[in-house]
Amino acid sequence: MTYIAQRARQGNEGVFSMINRCCSEKRARNETVINLGEGSPNRAPAPPILQEIVAACRQDETYRYPFILADLPKAVSAWYAERFGVDVDPCREVLPLWGTQEGLAHLPLALMEHGDSCILPDPGYPIYHYLPTLVDGTGHALPLRKERGFLPDFTDIASDVARNARFLLLNFPNNPLGVVAPLEILEEAVAFCRAHDIVLVYDNAYSELTFDGERAPSVLQVPGAKDVAVEFNSMSKTFNLAGIRLGYILGNADVVRALARLKGNMDFGLFHPTQRAAICALTHPDRDAIIAGVRAMYQERRNAFVESAASLGWDVPPPRGSMFIWTNVPEGGDDVAFSRFCIERAGVAIVPGSAFGPNGKGFIRIALTQEVPVLKQAARQIGQVLAEWRSAQE
Protein backbone atom coordinates (compact mmCIF):
# COMPACT_ATOMS: atom_id res chain seq x y z
CA MET A 1 0.00 0.00 0.00
CA THR A 2 1.22 3.50 -0.82
CA TYR A 3 2.32 5.37 2.29
CA ILE A 4 0.59 8.73 2.79
CA ALA A 5 2.14 11.14 5.30
CA GLN A 6 0.19 11.89 8.45
CA ARG A 7 0.00 15.61 7.63
CA ALA A 8 -1.85 14.77 4.43
CA ARG A 9 -4.30 12.60 6.35
CA GLN A 10 -5.13 15.30 8.87
CA GLY A 11 -7.26 18.41 8.53
CA ASN A 12 -10.86 19.26 9.29
CA GLU A 13 -12.50 17.52 6.34
CA GLY A 14 -15.13 15.45 8.09
CA VAL A 15 -17.87 17.99 8.79
CA PHE A 16 -17.64 19.64 5.38
CA SER A 17 -17.72 16.24 3.72
CA MET A 18 -20.89 15.45 5.67
CA ILE A 19 -22.51 18.67 4.46
CA ASN A 20 -21.57 18.00 0.83
CA ARG A 21 -22.78 14.41 1.09
CA CYS A 22 -26.16 15.43 2.54
CA CYS A 23 -26.59 18.12 -0.13
CA SER A 24 -25.71 15.63 -2.90
CA GLU A 25 -28.23 13.13 -1.56
CA LYS A 26 -31.02 15.72 -1.62
CA ARG A 27 -30.14 16.88 -5.12
CA ALA A 28 -30.11 13.25 -6.29
CA ARG A 29 -33.75 13.18 -5.19
CA ASN A 30 -34.36 16.38 -7.22
CA GLU A 31 -34.72 18.39 -4.03
CA THR A 32 -33.22 21.88 -3.88
CA VAL A 33 -30.71 23.02 -1.28
CA ILE A 34 -29.82 26.62 -0.47
CA ASN A 35 -26.10 26.66 0.25
CA LEU A 36 -25.24 29.02 3.12
CA GLY A 37 -22.16 27.01 4.03
CA GLU A 38 -19.67 28.23 1.43
CA GLY A 39 -18.03 31.54 2.35
CA SER A 40 -17.21 32.84 -1.12
CA PRO A 41 -18.60 35.92 -2.92
CA ASN A 42 -21.29 35.20 -5.50
CA ARG A 43 -20.88 38.32 -7.66
CA ALA A 44 -18.38 39.44 -10.29
CA PRO A 45 -15.98 42.31 -9.54
CA ALA A 46 -16.86 45.88 -10.46
CA PRO A 47 -16.78 46.64 -14.24
CA PRO A 48 -13.45 48.57 -14.25
CA ILE A 49 -11.68 45.69 -12.50
CA LEU A 50 -13.24 43.10 -14.76
CA GLN A 51 -12.27 45.09 -17.84
CA GLU A 52 -8.67 45.23 -16.61
CA ILE A 53 -8.58 41.44 -16.25
CA VAL A 54 -9.93 40.92 -19.77
CA ALA A 55 -7.53 43.44 -21.32
CA ALA A 56 -4.52 41.90 -19.59
CA CYS A 57 -5.50 38.41 -20.76
CA ARG A 58 -5.21 39.59 -24.38
CA GLN A 59 -1.58 40.71 -24.04
CA ASP A 60 1.25 38.43 -25.17
CA GLU A 61 3.41 39.44 -22.19
CA THR A 62 0.81 37.96 -19.87
CA TYR A 63 1.92 34.42 -20.62
CA ARG A 64 5.58 34.73 -19.65
CA TYR A 65 6.69 33.85 -16.11
CA PRO A 66 4.48 36.06 -13.94
CA PHE A 67 7.03 37.75 -11.69
CA ILE A 68 5.57 40.29 -9.28
CA LEU A 69 4.89 43.65 -10.93
CA ALA A 70 6.53 46.48 -9.01
CA ASP A 71 3.32 48.49 -9.09
CA LEU A 72 1.45 45.92 -6.99
CA PRO A 73 3.39 46.26 -3.70
CA LYS A 74 3.36 50.03 -4.30
CA ALA A 75 -0.43 49.98 -4.65
CA VAL A 76 -0.77 47.95 -1.43
CA SER A 77 1.54 50.34 0.42
CA ALA A 78 -0.36 53.40 -0.82
CA TRP A 79 -3.70 51.80 0.11
CA TYR A 80 -2.54 51.10 3.67
CA ALA A 81 -1.20 54.64 4.02
CA GLU A 82 -4.55 56.08 2.96
CA ARG A 83 -6.89 53.63 4.68
CA PHE A 84 -5.04 53.01 7.95
CA GLY A 85 -2.41 55.75 8.17
CA VAL A 86 0.27 53.05 8.12
CA ASP A 87 3.67 53.46 6.44
CA VAL A 88 5.05 50.25 4.87
CA ASP A 89 8.01 49.92 2.54
CA PRO A 90 6.75 48.26 -0.68
CA CYS A 91 10.19 46.77 -1.37
CA ARG A 92 10.88 45.25 2.05
CA GLU A 93 7.60 44.99 3.92
CA VAL A 94 4.99 43.85 1.34
CA LEU A 95 4.69 40.47 -0.37
CA PRO A 96 1.81 39.51 -2.73
CA LEU A 97 0.46 35.97 -2.32
CA TRP A 98 -1.73 33.40 -4.05
CA GLY A 99 -4.47 34.41 -1.61
CA THR A 100 -4.12 34.80 2.14
CA GLN A 101 -4.79 31.09 2.69
CA GLU A 102 -1.71 30.18 0.66
CA GLY A 103 0.40 32.63 2.65
CA LEU A 104 -0.93 31.35 5.96
CA ALA A 105 -0.32 27.75 4.93
CA HIS A 106 3.32 28.47 4.09
CA LEU A 107 4.01 30.69 7.09
CA PRO A 108 4.81 27.83 9.54
CA LEU A 109 7.51 26.67 7.13
CA ALA A 110 9.16 30.07 7.56
CA LEU A 111 8.57 30.55 11.31
CA MET A 112 8.55 27.09 12.91
CA GLU A 113 10.92 24.15 13.19
CA HIS A 114 9.87 20.53 13.56
CA GLY A 115 8.01 20.16 16.85
CA ASP A 116 7.57 23.89 17.56
CA SER A 117 4.31 25.36 18.82
CA CYS A 118 2.02 28.29 18.05
CA ILE A 119 -1.12 29.86 19.57
CA LEU A 120 -4.35 29.77 17.57
CA PRO A 121 -7.85 31.22 18.11
CA ASP A 122 -10.66 28.82 19.00
CA PRO A 123 -13.12 29.09 17.28
CA GLY A 124 -11.05 29.91 14.22
CA TYR A 125 -10.93 29.42 10.47
CA PRO A 126 -10.13 25.70 9.89
CA ILE A 127 -6.84 26.32 8.06
CA TYR A 128 -5.46 27.87 11.28
CA HIS A 129 -5.72 24.60 13.17
CA TYR A 130 -3.98 22.76 10.36
CA LEU A 131 -0.93 25.08 10.25
CA PRO A 132 1.26 23.40 12.89
CA THR A 133 0.62 20.02 11.26
CA LEU A 134 2.73 21.16 8.29
CA VAL A 135 5.87 21.15 10.45
CA ASP A 136 4.80 18.36 12.82
CA GLY A 137 4.23 21.03 15.44
CA THR A 138 1.63 21.81 18.08
CA GLY A 139 -1.15 24.36 18.23
CA HIS A 140 -2.38 25.75 21.56
CA ALA A 141 -5.89 27.17 21.72
CA LEU A 142 -6.67 30.74 22.72
CA PRO A 143 -10.38 30.48 23.59
CA LEU A 144 -12.75 33.13 22.25
CA ARG A 145 -15.75 33.06 24.58
CA LYS A 146 -19.23 34.44 24.14
CA GLU A 147 -19.19 36.07 27.59
CA ARG A 148 -16.25 38.23 26.45
CA GLY A 149 -17.88 39.10 23.14
CA PHE A 150 -15.57 36.53 21.50
CA LEU A 151 -12.54 38.76 22.12
CA PRO A 152 -9.29 37.24 23.42
CA ASP A 153 -8.14 37.35 27.01
CA PHE A 154 -4.36 36.98 26.87
CA THR A 155 -4.21 35.91 30.50
CA ASP A 156 -5.74 32.63 29.27
CA ILE A 157 -2.37 31.78 27.71
CA ALA A 158 -0.23 29.78 30.11
CA SER A 159 3.25 31.15 30.72
CA ASP A 160 4.99 28.03 29.42
CA VAL A 161 2.89 28.13 26.24
CA ALA A 162 3.76 31.78 25.67
CA ARG A 163 7.43 31.13 26.40
CA ASN A 164 7.72 28.39 23.76
CA ALA A 165 5.36 29.60 21.00
CA ARG A 166 6.73 30.88 17.70
CA PHE A 167 3.66 32.93 16.79
CA LEU A 168 0.20 33.99 17.92
CA LEU A 169 -2.54 34.22 15.28
CA LEU A 170 -5.58 36.50 15.50
CA ASN A 171 -8.34 37.27 12.98
CA PHE A 172 -10.70 40.26 13.16
CA PRO A 173 -13.21 40.98 11.67
CA ASN A 174 -13.60 37.34 12.41
CA ASN A 175 -14.53 34.29 10.38
CA PRO A 176 -16.68 32.62 11.68
CA LEU A 177 -17.67 34.89 14.58
CA GLY A 178 -18.55 38.16 12.81
CA VAL A 179 -16.79 40.13 15.59
CA VAL A 180 -14.73 43.31 15.11
CA ALA A 181 -11.87 43.92 17.55
CA PRO A 182 -11.14 47.46 18.78
CA LEU A 183 -7.63 48.86 18.49
CA GLU A 184 -7.20 48.39 22.25
CA ILE A 185 -7.29 44.59 21.83
CA LEU A 186 -4.64 44.81 19.12
CA GLU A 187 -2.51 46.95 21.41
CA GLU A 188 -2.76 44.23 24.07
CA ALA A 189 -1.80 41.60 21.48
CA VAL A 190 1.27 43.55 20.36
CA ALA A 191 2.36 44.08 23.97
CA PHE A 192 1.88 40.39 24.75
CA CYS A 193 3.93 39.25 21.75
CA ARG A 194 6.65 41.79 22.45
CA ALA A 195 6.88 40.63 26.08
CA HIS A 196 7.22 36.99 25.03
CA ASP A 197 9.32 37.52 21.88
CA ILE A 198 6.87 35.85 19.52
CA VAL A 199 5.47 36.93 16.15
CA LEU A 200 1.92 38.30 15.99
CA VAL A 201 0.16 37.13 12.82
CA TYR A 202 -2.97 39.18 12.13
CA ASP A 203 -5.47 38.03 9.50
CA ASN A 204 -7.35 41.15 8.38
CA ALA A 205 -8.97 39.72 5.24
CA TYR A 206 -12.40 41.15 6.17
CA SER A 207 -11.14 44.63 7.06
CA GLU A 208 -13.64 46.39 4.77
CA LEU A 209 -16.69 44.27 5.60
CA THR A 210 -17.93 46.07 8.71
CA PHE A 211 -21.43 47.36 9.36
CA ASP A 212 -23.39 50.19 10.95
CA GLY A 213 -20.58 52.70 10.37
CA GLU A 214 -17.92 50.68 12.20
CA ARG A 215 -14.35 50.69 10.81
CA ALA A 216 -11.91 47.87 11.49
CA PRO A 217 -8.33 48.79 12.41
CA SER A 218 -5.06 47.33 11.20
CA VAL A 219 -2.69 45.85 13.77
CA LEU A 220 0.03 47.93 12.12
CA GLN A 221 -1.65 51.05 13.50
CA VAL A 222 -0.31 50.09 16.92
CA PRO A 223 2.93 52.04 17.53
CA GLY A 224 5.92 49.74 17.10
CA ALA A 225 3.78 46.88 15.81
CA LYS A 226 6.14 46.12 12.92
CA ASP A 227 8.73 45.03 15.47
CA VAL A 228 6.66 41.88 16.12
CA ALA A 229 3.68 41.79 13.74
CA VAL A 230 2.70 40.91 10.21
CA GLU A 231 -0.75 41.35 8.71
CA PHE A 232 -2.51 39.40 5.98
CA ASN A 233 -5.11 41.01 3.77
CA SER A 234 -6.99 39.96 0.68
CA MET A 235 -8.64 41.13 -2.53
CA SER A 236 -11.22 38.34 -2.28
CA LYS A 237 -13.95 39.76 -0.07
CA THR A 238 -13.34 43.49 -0.52
CA PHE A 239 -13.55 43.40 -4.32
CA ASN A 240 -15.36 40.10 -5.11
CA LEU A 241 -12.11 38.61 -6.41
CA ALA A 242 -11.97 35.31 -4.51
CA GLY A 243 -11.60 33.30 -7.71
CA ILE A 244 -8.39 35.01 -8.87
CA ARG A 245 -6.59 34.19 -5.58
CA LEU A 246 -4.63 37.27 -4.58
CA GLY A 247 -3.72 38.38 -1.08
CA TYR A 248 -0.68 39.90 0.57
CA ILE A 249 1.34 39.97 3.76
CA LEU A 250 2.87 43.16 5.10
CA GLY A 251 4.67 44.33 8.21
CA ASN A 252 7.79 42.94 9.89
CA ALA A 253 10.52 42.91 7.24
CA ASP A 254 12.26 39.79 8.61
CA VAL A 255 9.10 37.68 8.39
CA VAL A 256 8.18 39.06 4.96
CA ARG A 257 11.68 38.35 3.66
CA ALA A 258 11.64 34.80 5.07
CA LEU A 259 8.31 34.01 3.42
CA ALA A 260 9.50 35.58 0.15
CA ARG A 261 12.63 33.44 0.19
CA LEU A 262 10.56 30.32 0.83
CA LYS A 263 8.10 31.13 -1.95
CA GLY A 264 10.97 31.87 -4.31
CA ASN A 265 11.56 28.13 -4.39
CA MET A 266 7.89 27.36 -5.03
CA ASP A 267 6.47 29.74 -7.62
CA PHE A 268 7.28 32.51 -10.09
CA GLY A 269 4.74 35.06 -8.88
CA LEU A 270 1.11 35.68 -9.76
CA PHE A 271 -0.73 35.57 -13.10
CA HIS A 272 -0.40 39.07 -14.58
CA PRO A 273 -4.14 39.68 -15.12
CA THR A 274 -4.60 38.88 -11.44
CA GLN A 275 -1.98 41.46 -10.50
CA ARG A 276 -3.42 44.04 -12.91
CA ALA A 277 -6.86 43.53 -11.39
CA ALA A 278 -5.50 44.13 -7.89
CA ILE A 279 -3.61 47.26 -8.96
CA CYS A 280 -6.73 48.59 -10.66
CA ALA A 281 -8.91 47.83 -7.62
CA LEU A 282 -6.55 49.56 -5.18
CA THR A 283 -5.84 52.64 -7.31
CA HIS A 284 -9.04 53.26 -9.30
CA PRO A 285 -10.72 56.67 -8.69
CA ASP A 286 -13.96 54.84 -7.82
CA ARG A 287 -12.26 52.47 -5.37
CA ASP A 288 -13.96 53.77 -2.24
CA ALA A 289 -17.39 53.73 -3.90
CA ILE A 290 -16.78 50.13 -5.06
CA ILE A 291 -15.85 49.07 -1.52
CA ALA A 292 -18.83 50.93 -0.04
CA GLY A 293 -21.12 49.10 -2.47
CA VAL A 294 -19.79 45.70 -1.42
CA ARG A 295 -20.10 46.63 2.24
CA ALA A 296 -23.68 47.84 1.78
CA MET A 297 -24.56 44.63 -0.07
CA TYR A 298 -23.50 42.45 2.87
CA GLN A 299 -25.20 44.70 5.42
CA GLU A 300 -28.44 44.45 3.43
CA ARG A 301 -28.08 40.67 3.33
CA ARG A 302 -27.35 40.51 7.04
CA ASN A 303 -30.42 42.59 7.86
CA ALA A 304 -32.63 40.55 5.54
CA PHE A 305 -31.71 37.23 7.15
CA VAL A 306 -31.83 38.48 10.74
CA GLU A 307 -35.21 40.19 10.26
CA SER A 308 -36.73 37.21 8.46
CA ALA A 309 -35.53 34.85 11.20
CA ALA A 310 -36.90 37.15 13.93
CA SER A 311 -40.33 37.22 12.29
CA LEU A 312 -40.46 33.44 12.77
CA GLY A 313 -39.35 33.50 16.42
CA TRP A 314 -35.68 32.75 15.77
CA ASP A 315 -33.44 35.29 17.48
CA VAL A 316 -30.22 35.64 15.46
CA PRO A 317 -27.67 38.26 16.60
CA PRO A 318 -26.47 40.52 13.77
CA PRO A 319 -22.70 40.38 13.14
CA ARG A 320 -20.67 43.59 13.25
CA GLY A 321 -18.40 42.49 10.44
CA SER A 322 -17.38 39.76 7.95
CA MET A 323 -19.82 37.91 5.69
CA PHE A 324 -21.02 35.45 8.34
CA ILE A 325 -23.65 35.09 11.04
CA TRP A 326 -22.62 33.14 14.16
CA THR A 327 -25.37 32.05 16.49
CA ASN A 328 -26.27 29.42 19.09
CA VAL A 329 -28.05 26.28 18.03
CA PRO A 330 -31.70 26.70 19.09
CA GLU A 331 -32.41 25.13 22.47
CA GLY A 332 -28.70 24.50 22.95
CA GLY A 333 -28.74 21.38 20.79
CA ASP A 334 -25.91 19.60 19.02
CA ASP A 335 -24.48 21.74 16.21
CA VAL A 336 -23.64 18.87 13.83
CA ALA A 337 -27.08 17.37 14.30
CA PHE A 338 -28.74 20.74 13.73
CA SER A 339 -26.75 21.30 10.54
CA ARG A 340 -27.82 17.91 9.24
CA PHE A 341 -31.40 18.68 10.28
CA CYS A 342 -31.34 21.99 8.37
CA ILE A 343 -30.17 20.28 5.20
CA GLU A 344 -32.61 17.37 5.43
CA ARG A 345 -35.72 19.14 6.78
CA ALA A 346 -35.27 22.79 5.73
CA GLY A 347 -33.21 22.37 2.58
CA VAL A 348 -30.58 24.84 3.79
CA ALA A 349 -26.88 24.06 4.23
CA ILE A 350 -25.10 25.73 7.16
CA VAL A 351 -21.85 24.89 8.96
CA PRO A 352 -21.72 23.49 12.51
CA GLY A 353 -19.57 25.55 14.84
CA SER A 354 -17.47 22.57 15.91
CA ALA A 355 -15.88 22.68 12.44
CA PHE A 356 -14.02 25.76 13.72
CA GLY A 357 -12.67 24.24 16.93
CA PRO A 358 -13.89 22.79 20.24
CA ASN A 359 -15.15 26.17 21.46
CA GLY A 360 -17.44 26.33 18.44
CA LYS A 361 -19.53 23.45 19.74
CA GLY A 362 -23.18 24.45 20.10
CA PHE A 363 -22.97 27.21 17.47
CA ILE A 364 -23.60 27.45 13.72
CA ARG A 365 -22.16 29.63 10.95
CA ILE A 366 -24.37 31.05 8.21
CA ALA A 367 -22.70 32.57 5.14
CA LEU A 368 -24.29 35.65 3.57
CA THR A 369 -23.30 34.51 0.10
CA GLN A 370 -26.70 34.47 -1.59
CA GLU A 371 -28.93 37.28 -2.79
CA VAL A 372 -31.50 38.86 -0.44
CA PRO A 373 -34.57 36.92 -1.69
CA VAL A 374 -32.70 33.63 -1.31
CA LEU A 375 -31.52 34.53 2.20
CA LYS A 376 -35.05 35.45 3.23
CA GLN A 377 -36.31 32.17 1.84
CA ALA A 378 -33.58 30.25 3.69
CA ALA A 379 -34.52 31.93 6.97
CA ARG A 380 -38.18 31.10 6.38
CA GLN A 381 -37.41 27.46 5.58
CA ILE A 382 -35.38 27.00 8.76
CA GLY A 383 -37.91 28.94 10.82
CA GLN A 384 -40.77 26.77 9.59
CA VAL A 385 -39.17 23.58 10.95
CA LEU A 386 -37.79 24.99 14.22
CA ALA A 387 -40.80 23.74 16.17
CA GLU A 388 -39.95 20.21 15.06
CA TRP A 389 -36.32 20.67 16.14
CA ARG A 390 -37.32 22.15 19.51
CA SER A 391 -39.75 19.36 20.16
CA ALA A 392 -37.02 16.81 19.52
CA GLN A 393 -34.77 18.51 22.11
CA GLU A 394 -37.30 18.19 24.94
Side-chain angles (χ1 to χ4, degrees):
M1 175 181 280
T2 302
Y3 178 76
I4 302 298
Q6 181 68 17
R7 68 181 63 87
R9 290 184 275 130
Q10 292 183 356
N12 199 350
E13 183 183 12
V15 170
F16 292 98
S17 295
M18 179 274 291
I19 294 170
N20 290 333
R21 184 177 63 256
C22 290
C23 289
S24 296
E25 290 170 356
K26 284 189 69 72
R27 290 175 181 132
R29 300 192 297 266
N30 293 318
E31 300 175 21
T32 60
V33 180
I34 299 174
N35 188 352
L36 302 186
E38 185 177 277
S40 183
N42 68 322
R43 289 189 183 180
I49 305 171
L50 191 57
Q51 290 163 12
E52 187 70 19
I53 297 172
V54 173
C57 284
R58 294 195 173 107
Q59 298 173 1
D60 289 341
E61 290 297 312
T62 287
Y63 300 97
R64 295 180 180 272
Y65 283 146
F67 297 113
I68 298 299
L69 300 170
D71 284 347
L72 179 52
K74 290 177 182 177
V76 171
S77 177
W79 156 246
Y80 258 67
E82 185 174 343
R83 166 66 174 86
F84 299 107
V86 168
D87 179 27
V88 288
D89 182 344
C91 297
R92 298 174 54 253
E93 298 175 337
V94 180
L95 177 67
L97 306 164
W98 286 95
T100 54
Q101 183 155 323
E102 175 266 310
L104 284 164
H106 283 134
L107 194 65
L109 301 178
L111 294 183
M112 298 174 70
E113 303 291 356
H114 173 88
D116 280 348
S117 65
C118 58
I119 304 168
L120 306 169
D122 177 15
Y125 186 47
I127 184 65
Y128 301 159
H129 305 290
Y130 187 64
L131 297 182
T133 302
L134 297 171
V135 291
D136 300 322
T138 303
H140 296 281
L142 173 58
L144 304 179
R145 301 187 181 92
K146 185 176 182 179
E147 56 267 27
R148 276 187 54 86
F150 298 109
L151 294 173
D153 181 349
F154 299 105
T155 64
D156 284 335
I157 302 173
S159 58
D160 61 324
V161 170
R163 183 169 56 252
N164 295 312
R166 295 297 186 186
F167 66 83
L168 162 67
L169 195 154
L170 293 175
N171 161 227
F172 295 99
N174 188 282
N175 173 12
L177 305 173
V179 173
V180 181
L183 189 61
E184 292 76 15
I185 289 291
L186 306 189
E187 290 171 344
E188 291 179 23
V190 169
F192 178 87
C193 290
R194 189 190 303 279
H196 294 92
D197 193 25
I198 60 179
V199 175
L200 174 58
V201 179
Y202 192 65
D203 183 357
N204 205 10
Y206 298 89
S207 64
E208 305 314 297
L209 299 191
T210 52
F211 310 129
D212 306 318
E214 186 155 5
R215 298 284 273 169
S218 162
V219 74
L220 301 180
Q221 290 176 249
V222 178
K226 283 194 290 185
D227 293 342
V228 297
V230 288
E231 179 161 307
F232 285 89
N233 211 318
S234 170
M235 306 299 296
S236 296
K237 311 307 188 294
T238 304
F239 296 102
N240 290 336
L241 286 168
I244 71 169
R245 307 312 303 143
L246 194 148
Y248 47 89
I249 183 175
L250 67 170
N252 183 275
D254 292 335
V255 176
V256 171
R257 181 170 57 251
L259 189 57
R261 183 180 180 88
L262 186 78
K263 282 174 57 61
N265 291 284
M266 296 178 174
D267 64 62
F268 289 104
L270 303 161
F271 189 43
H272 274 187
T274 296
Q275 297 188 60
R276 297 286 185 194
I279 294 166
C280 174
L282 292 171
T283 62
H284 195 277
D286 295 333
R287 178 197 64 201
D288 292 349
I290 291 170
I291 294 172
V294 173
R295 183 185 300 119
M297 174 188 73
Y298 284 112
Q299 180 163 323
E300 181 185 15
R301 292 178 179 187
R302 176 200 70 168
N303 293 346
F305 189 95
V306 170
E307 291 166 7
S308 294
S311 70
L312 293 160
W314 184 21
D315 183 23
V316 175
R320 295 163 55 202
S322 83
M323 58 200 300
F324 304 105
I325 288 172
W326 180 258
T327 186
N328 287 98
V329 175
E331 309 305 318
D334 178 82
D335 53 300
V336 175
F338 184 70
S339 296
R340 185 180 291 111
F341 172 84
C342 285
I343 295 172
E344 294 173 351
R345 301 292 298 124
V348 180
I350 58 176
V351 182
S354 53
F356 303 95
N359 280 296
K361 187 176 181 180
F363 293 87
I364 53 171
R365 191 195 76 172
I366 300 162
L368 301 171
T369 50
Q370 301 282 356
E371 301 299 329
V372 164
V374 179
L375 287 167
K376 288 182 176 180
Q377 180 63 29
R380 283 195 295 269
Q381 289 176 199
I382 296 175
Q384 288 165 358
V385 297
L386 276 182
E388 179 184 339
W389 168 260
R390 287 169 173 148
S391 176
Q393 304 310 302
E394 293 176 357

